[in-house]
Amino acid sequence: MYQAPEQLIALNKANLEVATRFATVALEGAERILDLQLKAAKSAFSDTVESAKALAEVKDLQQFAALKDSIGQPSMEKAAAYAKSVYDVTSETQAEITKLVEEQIGEFNKQIVANLDKMVQSAPAGSEVGVAALKSAIAAVNSAYDNLSKVAKQFADATQSNMEAVAKQAVTSAKKPVKKAA
């Protein structure tokens, strides 16, 4: 099938725009992850300095035991919050990329159907059955893709729930007092 130079230029321009959108989403996600990592590193450094200062002021074993518990709890909460933040950023970035992919698949399918319709107009008599079968196959593939997308979304939702439960459990277990040996 022959395409005019204008059609090729328009196709290349559209492909460049799509590639730019994908790159933008990926870079924004990476930037958000790097920002999270930098904030976590700064916070960890600050917490370490404060803990070292507090440890230097300990005068007896009871103060040490109290300090140990007060240092551990915020660290566990911050670690759980950091893990959840990283998960949230990656999930959001994945969702944006998935949305872009779905848009491209939809556009591709529209173009295929439009080209098939053009081919039918110039095709010999009796080829309508073959074209109808091809359109049916495209519809079946789209249906399978939709089902896979739904399953992937359910999996992502379940993973999100599990991540939140694990983070909550980690914080809760860190708050429990440690039993002392008799």
Side-chain angles (χ1 to χ4, degrees), residues 3-144:
Q3 289 188 329
E6 297 83 24
Q7 290 173 319
L8 292 175
I9 290 170
L11 181 63
N12 285 338
K13 184 178 177 184
N15 287 338
L16 179 62
E17 289 174 11
V18 169
T20 302
R21 287 173 57 198
F22 275 107
T24 300
V25 168
L27 288 173
E28 287 172 353
E31 181 179 24
R32 290 169 56 199
I33 290 288
L34 286 172
D35 185 50
L36 279 173
Q37 289 174 337
L38 184 59
K39 287 178 181 175
K42 285 180 180 179
S43 177
F45 178 73
S46 175
D47 291 347
T48 301
V49 169
E50 291 300 316
S51 296
K53 286 179 183 177
L55 190 59
E57 295 174 3
V58 169
K59 294 182 175 119
D60 61 21
L61 200 52
Q62 288 177 337
Q63 281 183 333
F64 179 75
L67 180 64
K68 176 184 67 80
D69 291 339
S70 69
I71 290 174
Q73 176 60 34
S75 298
M76 287 297 291
E77 290 174 358
K78 287 180 182 182
Y82 173 75
K84 185 176 181 329
S85 296
V86 168
Y87 178 80
D88 289 345
V89 169
T90 55
S91 294
E92 290 168 12
T93 303
Q94 175 74 31
E96 290 178 43
I97 288 175
T98 299
K99 181 180 173 188
L100 289 174
V101 168
E102 288 173 352
E103 287 174 10
Q104 292 309 302
I105 289 173
E107 185 61 32
F108 179 73
N109 287 338
K110 286 179 190 175
Q111 289 175 0
I112 287 178
V113 170
N115 286 335
L116 283 174
D117 289 340
K118 286 180 186 176
M119 287 174 47
V120 167
Q121 293 171 356
S122 63
S127 62
E128 296 85 11
V129 173
V131 171
L134 193 53
K135 283 184 179 181
S136 177
I138 291 171
V141 168
N142 287 337
S143 177

